[in-house]
Amino acid sequence: METVSRKLQLTFGSADAKNVNVTLYDHRNDLTSEIVADTMVEITALEVLTNTDGVLMTDALAAKEIITTENTFF
């Protein structure tokens, strides 16, 4: 039996701070790079995302979809 899982990993950053990774599981199938980039920019504009040190994330650095295939033999 084959099981495929997908997740979207978004990386935010700031010039003077450690990056923050946000992982979304079971995201929409119709996402495009433009939608993801625009949404990340909107999130940083809201000024609500901080790292563990409380530093505001101001930059949308990267996004990637991670697809994992698991084959169960028995």
Short mmCIF file of all heavy atoms in Angstrom, two decimals:
data_model
loop_
_atom_site.label_atom_id
_atom_site.label_comp_id
_atom_site.label_asym_id
_atom_site.label_seq_id
_atom_site.Cartn_x
_atom_site.Cartn_y
_atom_site.Cartn_z
N MET A 1 0.84 -1.16 0.00
CA MET A 1 0.00 0.00 0.00
C MET A 1 0.90 1.25 0.00
O MET A 1 1.88 1.31 0.72
CB MET A 1 -0.88 0.00 1.24
CG MET A 1 -1.66 1.27 1.36
SD MET A 1 -2.98 1.06 2.42
CE MET A 1 -3.08 1.90 3.72
N GLU A 2 0.55 2.19 -0.83
CA GLU A 2 1.34 3.41 -0.94
C GLU A 2 0.57 4.59 -0.34
O GLU A 2 -0.60 4.79 -0.63
CB GLU A 2 1.65 3.70 -2.40
CG GLU A 2 2.49 4.95 -2.61
CD GLU A 2 2.84 5.17 -4.06
OE1 GLU A 2 3.82 4.55 -4.51
OE2 GLU A 2 2.12 5.94 -4.72
N THR A 3 1.25 5.35 0.50
CA THR A 3 0.67 6.54 1.11
C THR A 3 1.53 7.73 0.75
O THR A 3 2.75 7.69 0.91
CB THR A 3 0.63 6.39 2.65
OG1 THR A 3 -0.06 5.20 2.98
CG2 THR A 3 -0.05 7.58 3.29
N VAL A 4 0.89 8.78 0.24
CA VAL A 4 1.61 10.00 -0.13
C VAL A 4 1.13 11.12 0.78
O VAL A 4 -0.07 11.35 0.92
CB VAL A 4 1.37 10.37 -1.61
CG1 VAL A 4 2.07 11.65 -1.96
CG2 VAL A 4 1.82 9.24 -2.51
N SER A 5 2.08 11.80 1.42
CA SER A 5 1.74 12.95 2.25
C SER A 5 2.46 14.19 1.71
O SER A 5 3.53 14.09 1.12
CB SER A 5 2.11 12.71 3.71
OG SER A 5 3.49 12.53 3.85
N ARG A 6 1.82 15.33 1.90
CA ARG A 6 2.38 16.58 1.41
C ARG A 6 2.37 17.61 2.53
O ARG A 6 1.45 17.64 3.33
CB ARG A 6 1.52 17.10 0.25
CG ARG A 6 1.48 16.18 -0.92
CD ARG A 6 0.42 16.54 -1.96
NE ARG A 6 0.36 17.97 -2.27
CZ ARG A 6 -0.72 18.72 -2.07
NH1 ARG A 6 -1.80 18.22 -1.56
NH2 ARG A 6 -0.69 19.99 -2.41
N LYS A 7 3.40 18.43 2.54
CA LYS A 7 3.41 19.56 3.47
C LYS A 7 4.12 20.73 2.80
O LYS A 7 4.96 20.55 1.92
CB LYS A 7 4.06 19.20 4.80
CG LYS A 7 5.51 18.78 4.72
CD LYS A 7 6.01 18.36 6.10
CE LYS A 7 7.43 17.84 6.01
NZ LYS A 7 7.93 17.39 7.30
N LEU A 8 3.76 21.92 3.22
CA LEU A 8 4.33 23.14 2.68
C LEU A 8 5.14 23.79 3.79
O LEU A 8 4.61 24.06 4.86
CB LEU A 8 3.21 24.07 2.21
CG LEU A 8 3.60 25.35 1.51
CD1 LEU A 8 4.31 25.06 0.19
CD2 LEU A 8 2.37 26.21 1.25
N GLN A 9 6.42 24.00 3.55
CA GLN A 9 7.29 24.62 4.55
C GLN A 9 7.62 26.04 4.11
O GLN A 9 8.21 26.24 3.04
CB GLN A 9 8.57 23.83 4.75
CG GLN A 9 9.45 24.41 5.84
CD GLN A 9 10.66 23.54 6.10
OE1 GLN A 9 10.56 22.33 6.11
NE2 GLN A 9 11.78 24.16 6.31
N LEU A 10 7.26 27.01 4.93
CA LEU A 10 7.51 28.42 4.66
C LEU A 10 8.61 28.91 5.60
O LEU A 10 8.59 28.63 6.79
CB LEU A 10 6.23 29.23 4.92
CG LEU A 10 4.95 28.70 4.28
CD1 LEU A 10 3.76 29.54 4.74
CD2 LEU A 10 5.07 28.68 2.78
N THR A 11 9.57 29.64 5.07
CA THR A 11 10.67 30.17 5.87
C THR A 11 10.61 31.69 5.85
O THR A 11 10.62 32.31 4.80
CB THR A 11 12.03 29.69 5.34
OG1 THR A 11 12.04 28.26 5.31
CG2 THR A 11 13.17 30.18 6.22
N PHE A 12 10.54 32.24 7.06
CA PHE A 12 10.53 33.69 7.25
C PHE A 12 11.80 34.09 7.98
O PHE A 12 12.38 33.29 8.71
CB PHE A 12 9.32 34.11 8.10
CG PHE A 12 7.99 33.83 7.45
CD1 PHE A 12 7.35 32.62 7.65
CD2 PHE A 12 7.39 34.77 6.65
CE1 PHE A 12 6.13 32.35 7.05
CE2 PHE A 12 6.17 34.52 6.05
CZ PHE A 12 5.53 33.31 6.26
N GLY A 13 12.23 35.33 7.80
CA GLY A 13 13.45 35.77 8.45
C GLY A 13 13.45 37.26 8.72
O GLY A 13 12.51 37.98 8.40
N SER A 14 14.56 37.68 9.30
CA SER A 14 14.80 39.08 9.61
C SER A 14 16.29 39.29 9.54
O SER A 14 17.07 38.36 9.75
CB SER A 14 14.28 39.38 11.02
OG SER A 14 14.60 40.70 11.38
N ALA A 15 16.71 40.49 9.25
CA ALA A 15 18.14 40.77 9.09
C ALA A 15 18.93 40.45 10.35
O ALA A 15 20.09 40.06 10.28
CB ALA A 15 18.34 42.23 8.70
N ASP A 16 18.33 40.60 11.51
CA ASP A 16 19.06 40.44 12.77
C ASP A 16 18.53 39.31 13.64
O ASP A 16 18.60 39.37 14.86
CB ASP A 16 19.02 41.75 13.55
CG ASP A 16 17.61 42.23 13.83
OD1 ASP A 16 16.67 41.69 13.24
OD2 ASP A 16 17.45 43.16 14.63
N ALA A 17 17.98 38.25 13.00
CA ALA A 17 17.38 37.20 13.81
C ALA A 17 17.49 35.83 13.16
O ALA A 17 17.80 35.71 11.98
CB ALA A 17 15.90 37.53 14.04
N LYS A 18 17.19 34.83 13.97
CA LYS A 18 17.11 33.46 13.47
C LYS A 18 15.83 33.31 12.65
O LYS A 18 14.80 33.93 12.94
CB LYS A 18 17.08 32.47 14.64
CG LYS A 18 18.37 32.44 15.45
CD LYS A 18 18.25 31.45 16.57
CE LYS A 18 17.64 32.19 17.75
NZ LYS A 18 17.56 31.40 18.97
N ASN A 19 15.88 32.47 11.63
CA ASN A 19 14.72 32.24 10.77
C ASN A 19 13.64 31.46 11.51
O ASN A 19 13.89 30.77 12.49
CB ASN A 19 15.13 31.46 9.53
CG ASN A 19 16.04 32.25 8.63
OD1 ASN A 19 16.21 33.46 8.77
ND2 ASN A 19 16.67 31.56 7.70
N VAL A 20 12.42 31.55 10.97
CA VAL A 20 11.28 30.81 11.48
C VAL A 20 10.73 29.97 10.34
O VAL A 20 10.52 30.48 9.24
CB VAL A 20 10.18 31.77 11.99
CG1 VAL A 20 8.88 31.03 12.27
CG2 VAL A 20 10.63 32.52 13.22
N ASN A 21 10.52 28.68 10.60
CA ASN A 21 9.87 27.79 9.63
C ASN A 21 8.45 27.53 10.10
O ASN A 21 8.23 27.19 11.26
CB ASN A 21 10.61 26.46 9.50
CG ASN A 21 11.92 26.62 8.78
OD1 ASN A 21 12.03 27.34 7.80
ND2 ASN A 21 12.95 25.95 9.28
N VAL A 22 7.51 27.68 9.19
CA VAL A 22 6.11 27.37 9.45
C VAL A 22 5.73 26.25 8.50
O VAL A 22 5.93 26.37 7.29
CB VAL A 22 5.21 28.61 9.22
CG1 VAL A 22 3.75 28.26 9.40
CG2 VAL A 22 5.61 29.76 10.14
N THR A 23 5.19 25.16 9.04
CA THR A 23 4.83 24.02 8.21
C THR A 23 3.31 23.88 8.17
O THR A 23 2.66 23.87 9.21
CB THR A 23 5.46 22.73 8.75
OG1 THR A 23 6.88 22.90 8.80
CG2 THR A 23 5.13 21.54 7.85
N LEU A 24 2.78 23.79 6.96
CA LEU A 24 1.35 23.59 6.75
C LEU A 24 1.14 22.18 6.21
O LEU A 24 1.72 21.80 5.19
CB LEU A 24 0.81 24.61 5.75
CG LEU A 24 1.06 26.07 6.10
CD1 LEU A 24 0.65 26.95 4.94
CD2 LEU A 24 0.30 26.45 7.36
N TYR A 25 0.31 21.42 6.89
CA TYR A 25 0.02 20.05 6.47
C TYR A 25 -1.31 20.03 5.71
O TYR A 25 -2.22 20.79 6.02
CB TYR A 25 -0.07 19.13 7.68
CG TYR A 25 1.25 19.04 8.41
CD1 TYR A 25 1.56 19.91 9.45
CD2 TYR A 25 2.19 18.09 8.04
CE1 TYR A 25 2.78 19.83 10.10
CE2 TYR A 25 3.41 18.01 8.70
CZ TYR A 25 3.70 18.89 9.72
OH TYR A 25 4.91 18.82 10.36
N ASP A 26 -1.42 19.17 4.73
CA ASP A 26 -2.64 19.02 3.94
C ASP A 26 -3.12 20.34 3.36
O ASP A 26 -4.29 20.70 3.45
CB ASP A 26 -3.75 18.37 4.79
CG ASP A 26 -3.37 16.99 5.27
OD1 ASP A 26 -2.73 16.25 4.49
OD2 ASP A 26 -3.70 16.65 6.40
N HIS A 27 -2.21 21.06 2.74
CA HIS A 27 -2.54 22.34 2.13
C HIS A 27 -3.33 22.14 0.84
O HIS A 27 -3.44 21.03 0.33
CB HIS A 27 -1.26 23.14 1.86
CG HIS A 27 -0.28 22.41 0.99
ND1 HIS A 27 0.53 21.42 1.49
CD2 HIS A 27 -0.01 22.49 -0.32
CE1 HIS A 27 1.27 20.93 0.51
NE2 HIS A 27 0.96 21.55 -0.60
N ARG A 28 -3.88 23.23 0.36
CA ARG A 28 -4.68 23.18 -0.88
C ARG A 28 -3.86 22.63 -2.04
O ARG A 28 -2.67 22.92 -2.17
CB ARG A 28 -5.17 24.58 -1.25
CG ARG A 28 -6.21 25.11 -0.34
CD ARG A 28 -6.67 26.50 -0.69
NE ARG A 28 -6.35 26.96 -2.03
CZ ARG A 28 -6.41 28.23 -2.40
NH1 ARG A 28 -6.77 29.15 -1.54
NH2 ARG A 28 -6.12 28.59 -3.63
N ASN A 29 -4.51 21.90 -2.92
CA ASN A 29 -3.84 21.30 -4.08
C ASN A 29 -3.54 22.32 -5.18
O ASN A 29 -2.68 22.10 -6.01
CB ASN A 29 -4.69 20.17 -4.67
CG ASN A 29 -4.73 18.96 -3.79
OD1 ASN A 29 -3.79 18.68 -3.08
ND2 ASN A 29 -5.84 18.25 -3.81
N ASP A 30 -4.28 23.42 -5.21
CA ASP A 30 -4.16 24.37 -6.32
C ASP A 30 -3.23 25.55 -6.03
O ASP A 30 -3.28 26.56 -6.72
CB ASP A 30 -5.54 24.88 -6.72
CG ASP A 30 -6.25 25.63 -5.61
OD1 ASP A 30 -5.81 25.54 -4.44
OD2 ASP A 30 -7.26 26.31 -5.90
N LEU A 31 -2.36 25.44 -5.04
CA LEU A 31 -1.45 26.53 -4.73
C LEU A 31 -0.41 26.71 -5.83
O LEU A 31 0.10 25.75 -6.39
CB LEU A 31 -0.72 26.28 -3.42
CG LEU A 31 -1.56 26.33 -2.15
CD1 LEU A 31 -0.68 26.05 -0.94
CD2 LEU A 31 -2.25 27.66 -2.00
N THR A 32 -0.11 27.97 -6.12
CA THR A 32 0.96 28.30 -7.06
C THR A 32 2.04 29.05 -6.30
O THR A 32 1.81 29.53 -5.18
CB THR A 32 0.44 29.20 -8.19
OG1 THR A 32 0.00 30.45 -7.62
CG2 THR A 32 -0.71 28.54 -8.95
N SER A 33 3.21 29.17 -6.90
CA SER A 33 4.28 29.90 -6.24
C SER A 33 3.89 31.35 -6.01
O SER A 33 4.26 31.96 -5.00
CB SER A 33 5.58 29.80 -7.04
OG SER A 33 5.39 30.30 -8.34
N GLU A 34 3.11 31.91 -6.93
CA GLU A 34 2.67 33.30 -6.78
C GLU A 34 1.73 33.47 -5.58
O GLU A 34 1.89 34.41 -4.79
CB GLU A 34 1.97 33.77 -8.05
CG GLU A 34 1.57 35.23 -8.00
CD GLU A 34 0.94 35.71 -9.30
OE1 GLU A 34 1.08 35.04 -10.33
OE2 GLU A 34 0.30 36.76 -9.26
N ILE A 35 0.79 32.56 -5.42
CA ILE A 35 -0.13 32.62 -4.28
C ILE A 35 0.64 32.50 -2.98
O ILE A 35 0.40 33.24 -2.02
CB ILE A 35 -1.20 31.52 -4.38
CG1 ILE A 35 -2.16 31.81 -5.53
CG2 ILE A 35 -1.97 31.37 -3.06
CD1 ILE A 35 -3.11 30.66 -5.84
N VAL A 36 1.56 31.56 -2.91
CA VAL A 36 2.34 31.34 -1.69
C VAL A 36 3.19 32.57 -1.37
O VAL A 36 3.21 33.06 -0.24
CB VAL A 36 3.21 30.07 -1.80
CG1 VAL A 36 4.13 29.93 -0.60
CG2 VAL A 36 2.33 28.83 -1.94
N ALA A 37 3.88 33.10 -2.37
CA ALA A 37 4.73 34.28 -2.15
C ALA A 37 3.90 35.48 -1.70
O ALA A 37 4.28 36.18 -0.74
CB ALA A 37 5.50 34.61 -3.43
N ASP A 38 2.78 35.72 -2.36
CA ASP A 38 1.91 36.85 -1.98
C ASP A 38 1.40 36.70 -0.55
O ASP A 38 1.36 37.66 0.22
CB ASP A 38 0.73 36.97 -2.93
CG ASP A 38 1.12 37.46 -4.32
OD1 ASP A 38 2.27 37.94 -4.49
OD2 ASP A 38 0.29 37.35 -5.24
N THR A 39 1.02 35.48 -0.18
CA THR A 39 0.51 35.23 1.16
C THR A 39 1.60 35.44 2.21
O THR A 39 1.35 36.03 3.27
CB THR A 39 -0.08 33.81 1.26
OG1 THR A 39 -1.10 33.67 0.28
CG2 THR A 39 -0.64 33.54 2.64
N MET A 40 2.81 34.99 1.91
CA MET A 40 3.92 35.18 2.85
C MET A 40 4.21 36.67 3.03
O MET A 40 4.47 37.12 4.16
CB MET A 40 5.16 34.42 2.38
CG MET A 40 5.01 32.91 2.46
SD MET A 40 6.46 32.02 1.83
CE MET A 40 7.66 32.38 3.13
N VAL A 41 4.17 37.44 1.96
CA VAL A 41 4.40 38.88 2.06
C VAL A 41 3.30 39.53 2.90
O VAL A 41 3.56 40.40 3.73
CB VAL A 41 4.49 39.51 0.65
CG1 VAL A 41 4.44 41.03 0.72
CG2 VAL A 41 5.76 39.06 -0.04
N GLU A 42 2.05 39.08 2.72
CA GLU A 42 0.94 39.60 3.52
C GLU A 42 1.14 39.29 5.00
O GLU A 42 0.85 40.13 5.86
CB GLU A 42 -0.38 39.02 3.03
CG GLU A 42 -0.83 39.56 1.70
CD GLU A 42 -2.11 38.90 1.20
OE1 GLU A 42 -2.87 38.34 2.03
OE2 GLU A 42 -2.35 38.96 -0.02
N ILE A 43 1.62 38.10 5.31
CA ILE A 43 1.86 37.72 6.71
C ILE A 43 2.91 38.64 7.33
O ILE A 43 2.74 39.12 8.46
CB ILE A 43 2.29 36.24 6.82
CG1 ILE A 43 1.10 35.34 6.47
CG2 ILE A 43 2.83 35.91 8.21
CD1 ILE A 43 1.45 33.87 6.29
N THR A 44 4.00 38.88 6.61
CA THR A 44 5.04 39.76 7.17
C THR A 44 4.51 41.19 7.32
O THR A 44 4.87 41.87 8.28
CB THR A 44 6.32 39.76 6.32
OG1 THR A 44 6.01 40.16 4.99
CG2 THR A 44 6.98 38.39 6.32
N ALA A 45 3.65 41.63 6.42
CA ALA A 45 3.08 42.98 6.51
C ALA A 45 2.18 43.14 7.73
O ALA A 45 2.06 44.25 8.28
CB ALA A 45 2.31 43.31 5.24
N LEU A 46 1.57 42.05 8.19
CA LEU A 46 0.72 42.11 9.38
C LEU A 46 1.51 42.27 10.67
O LEU A 46 0.95 42.62 11.71
CB LEU A 46 -0.15 40.85 9.47
CG LEU A 46 -1.23 40.70 8.42
CD1 LEU A 46 -1.86 39.31 8.49
CD2 LEU A 46 -2.28 41.78 8.57
N GLU A 47 2.83 42.01 10.61
CA GLU A 47 3.72 42.13 11.76
C GLU A 47 3.23 41.33 12.97
O GLU A 47 3.13 41.84 14.08
CB GLU A 47 3.92 43.60 12.13
CG GLU A 47 4.58 44.39 11.03
CD GLU A 47 4.86 45.84 11.38
OE1 GLU A 47 4.30 46.34 12.38
OE2 GLU A 47 5.65 46.47 10.66
N VAL A 48 2.94 40.06 12.73
CA VAL A 48 2.44 39.19 13.80
C VAL A 48 3.34 37.98 14.08
O VAL A 48 3.16 37.29 15.08
CB VAL A 48 1.02 38.67 13.49
CG1 VAL A 48 0.03 39.80 13.45
CG2 VAL A 48 1.00 37.90 12.18
N LEU A 49 4.32 37.72 13.21
CA LEU A 49 5.13 36.51 13.33
C LEU A 49 6.49 36.86 13.91
O LEU A 49 7.21 37.71 13.38
CB LEU A 49 5.30 35.86 11.95
CG LEU A 49 6.01 34.52 11.89
CD1 LEU A 49 5.24 33.46 12.68
CD2 LEU A 49 6.16 34.08 10.44
N THR A 50 6.83 36.20 15.02
CA THR A 50 8.14 36.42 15.66
C THR A 50 8.85 35.08 15.83
O THR A 50 8.23 34.02 15.77
CB THR A 50 7.99 37.08 17.04
OG1 THR A 50 7.27 36.20 17.91
CG2 THR A 50 7.26 38.41 16.95
N ASN A 51 10.16 35.17 16.08
CA ASN A 51 10.89 33.94 16.38
C ASN A 51 10.83 33.69 17.88
O ASN A 51 10.15 34.42 18.62
CB ASN A 51 12.33 34.00 15.84
CG ASN A 51 13.20 35.00 16.55
OD1 ASN A 51 12.81 35.62 17.54
ND2 ASN A 51 14.39 35.20 16.05
N THR A 52 11.54 32.68 18.36
CA THR A 52 11.49 32.33 19.79
C THR A 52 12.07 33.41 20.68
O THR A 52 11.78 33.45 21.87
CB THR A 52 12.22 31.00 20.06
OG1 THR A 52 13.56 31.10 19.58
CG2 THR A 52 11.51 29.84 19.39
N ASP A 53 12.87 34.30 20.11
CA ASP A 53 13.44 35.41 20.88
C ASP A 53 12.54 36.64 20.86
O ASP A 53 12.88 37.68 21.43
CB ASP A 53 14.82 35.79 20.33
CG ASP A 53 15.82 34.66 20.45
OD1 ASP A 53 15.74 33.89 21.45
OD2 ASP A 53 16.67 34.51 19.56
N GLY A 54 11.39 36.54 20.19
CA GLY A 54 10.47 37.66 20.12
C GLY A 54 10.79 38.68 19.05
O GLY A 54 10.20 39.75 19.00
N VAL A 55 11.73 38.35 18.14
CA VAL A 55 12.11 39.26 17.06
C VAL A 55 11.12 39.12 15.91
O VAL A 55 10.81 38.02 15.48
CB VAL A 55 13.55 38.98 16.57
CG1 VAL A 55 13.92 39.88 15.41
CG2 VAL A 55 14.54 39.13 17.71
N LEU A 56 10.62 40.23 15.43
CA LEU A 56 9.64 40.27 14.36
C LEU A 56 10.24 39.75 13.05
O LEU A 56 11.33 40.15 12.65
CB LEU A 56 9.15 41.70 14.17
CG LEU A 56 8.05 41.92 13.14
CD1 LEU A 56 6.76 41.23 13.58
CD2 LEU A 56 7.83 43.41 12.95
N MET A 57 9.51 38.86 12.38
CA MET A 57 9.93 38.37 11.07
C MET A 57 9.46 39.36 10.01
O MET A 57 8.28 39.70 9.95
CB MET A 57 9.34 36.99 10.80
CG MET A 57 9.82 35.91 11.76
SD MET A 57 11.57 35.53 11.59
CE MET A 57 12.28 36.44 12.95
N THR A 58 10.38 39.84 9.19
CA THR A 58 10.07 40.89 8.22
C THR A 58 10.26 40.45 6.77
O THR A 58 9.90 41.19 5.87
CB THR A 58 10.98 42.10 8.47
OG1 THR A 58 12.36 41.67 8.41
CG2 THR A 58 10.71 42.73 9.83
N ASP A 59 10.80 39.26 6.55
CA ASP A 59 11.12 38.82 5.19
C ASP A 59 10.54 37.44 4.90
O ASP A 59 10.58 36.55 5.74
CB ASP A 59 12.64 38.75 5.00
CG ASP A 59 13.33 40.06 5.30
OD1 ASP A 59 12.85 41.09 4.81
OD2 ASP A 59 14.32 40.04 6.04
N ALA A 60 10.01 37.27 3.69
CA ALA A 60 9.60 35.97 3.19
C ALA A 60 10.79 35.40 2.43
O ALA A 60 11.14 35.89 1.37
CB ALA A 60 8.38 36.11 2.28
N LEU A 61 11.42 34.38 2.98
CA LEU A 61 12.68 33.88 2.42
C LEU A 61 12.52 32.72 1.44
O LEU A 61 13.18 32.69 0.40
CB LEU A 61 13.62 33.45 3.55
CG LEU A 61 14.04 34.53 4.54
CD1 LEU A 61 14.95 33.92 5.60
CD2 LEU A 61 14.72 35.67 3.82
N ALA A 62 11.69 31.75 1.79
CA ALA A 62 11.60 30.56 0.94
C ALA A 62 10.32 29.80 1.22
O ALA A 62 9.72 29.94 2.29
CB ALA A 62 12.80 29.65 1.20
N ALA A 63 9.93 29.00 0.26
CA ALA A 63 8.79 28.08 0.44
C ALA A 63 9.08 26.83 -0.37
O ALA A 63 9.61 26.90 -1.48
CB ALA A 63 7.50 28.74 -0.04
N LYS A 64 8.74 25.70 0.21
CA LYS A 64 8.92 24.46 -0.52
C LYS A 64 7.84 23.47 -0.14
O LYS A 64 7.36 23.46 1.00
CB LYS A 64 10.31 23.86 -0.30
CG LYS A 64 10.63 23.45 1.12
CD LYS A 64 12.04 22.93 1.20
CE LYS A 64 12.46 22.69 2.65
NZ LYS A 64 13.84 22.22 2.73
N GLU A 65 7.45 22.67 -1.12
CA GLU A 65 6.51 21.59 -0.88
C GLU A 65 7.32 20.32 -0.70
O GLU A 65 8.18 19.99 -1.52
CB GLU A 65 5.54 21.44 -2.04
CG GLU A 65 4.51 20.36 -1.80
CD GLU A 65 3.52 20.24 -2.92
OE1 GLU A 65 3.93 20.32 -4.11
OE2 GLU A 65 2.34 20.07 -2.64
N ILE A 66 7.04 19.60 0.37
CA ILE A 66 7.73 18.36 0.65
C ILE A 66 6.73 17.23 0.48
O ILE A 66 5.70 17.19 1.14
CB ILE A 66 8.31 18.36 2.09
CG1 ILE A 66 9.28 19.52 2.24
CG2 ILE A 66 8.97 17.02 2.40
CD1 ILE A 66 9.68 19.82 3.66
N ILE A 67 7.03 16.33 -0.45
CA ILE A 67 6.15 15.20 -0.75
C ILE A 67 6.86 13.93 -0.30
O ILE A 67 8.00 13.66 -0.71
CB ILE A 67 5.82 15.13 -2.25
CG1 ILE A 67 5.13 16.43 -2.69
CG2 ILE A 67 4.96 13.92 -2.55
CD1 ILE A 67 4.97 16.57 -4.18
N THR A 68 6.18 13.16 0.54
CA THR A 68 6.75 11.92 1.06
C THR A 68 5.90 10.74 0.62
O THR A 68 4.67 10.76 0.79
CB THR A 68 6.81 11.97 2.61
OG1 THR A 68 7.53 13.13 3.02
CG2 THR A 68 7.47 10.73 3.17
N THR A 69 6.53 9.76 0.06
CA THR A 69 5.84 8.54 -0.35
C THR A 69 6.28 7.41 0.55
O THR A 69 7.48 7.15 0.72
CB THR A 69 6.18 8.19 -1.82
OG1 THR A 69 5.81 9.30 -2.65
CG2 THR A 69 5.44 6.95 -2.27
N GLU A 70 5.30 6.73 1.13
CA GLU A 70 5.59 5.61 2.04
C GLU A 70 4.95 4.37 1.46
O GLU A 70 3.75 4.34 1.17
CB GLU A 70 5.01 5.92 3.41
CG GLU A 70 5.29 4.88 4.45
CD GLU A 70 4.72 5.27 5.79
OE1 GLU A 70 5.10 6.34 6.30
OE2 GLU A 70 3.88 4.51 6.30
N ASN A 71 5.75 3.33 1.27
CA ASN A 71 5.26 2.05 0.78
C ASN A 71 5.24 1.04 1.91
O ASN A 71 6.28 0.74 2.50
CB ASN A 71 6.15 1.52 -0.35
CG ASN A 71 6.00 2.32 -1.61
OD1 ASN A 71 4.89 2.58 -2.06
ND2 ASN A 71 7.11 2.73 -2.20
N THR A 72 4.06 0.52 2.19
CA THR A 72 3.92 -0.50 3.23
C THR A 72 3.78 -1.85 2.54
O THR A 72 2.88 -2.05 1.72
CB THR A 72 2.67 -0.22 4.10
OG1 THR A 72 2.77 1.08 4.64
CG2 THR A 72 2.55 -1.25 5.21
N PHE A 73 4.68 -2.75 2.85
CA PHE A 73 4.67 -4.07 2.21
C PHE A 73 3.73 -5.05 2.90
O PHE A 73 3.06 -5.84 2.27
CB PHE A 73 6.07 -4.65 2.15
CG PHE A 73 7.00 -3.84 1.26
CD1 PHE A 73 8.07 -3.16 1.81
CD2 PHE A 73 6.77 -3.74 -0.10
CE1 PHE A 73 8.92 -2.41 0.99
CE2 PHE A 73 7.61 -3.01 -0.91
CZ PHE A 73 8.69 -2.34 -0.36
N PHE A 74 3.73 -5.03 4.22
CA PHE A 74 2.80 -5.88 4.96
C PHE A 74 2.73 -5.40 6.37
O PHE A 74 3.42 -4.55 6.82
CB PHE A 74 3.16 -7.37 4.89
CG PHE A 74 4.53 -7.70 5.44
CD1 PHE A 74 4.69 -8.06 6.76
CD2 PHE A 74 5.65 -7.67 4.62
CE1 PHE A 74 5.95 -8.39 7.25
CE2 PHE A 74 6.90 -8.01 5.10
CZ PHE A 74 7.05 -8.36 6.42
#
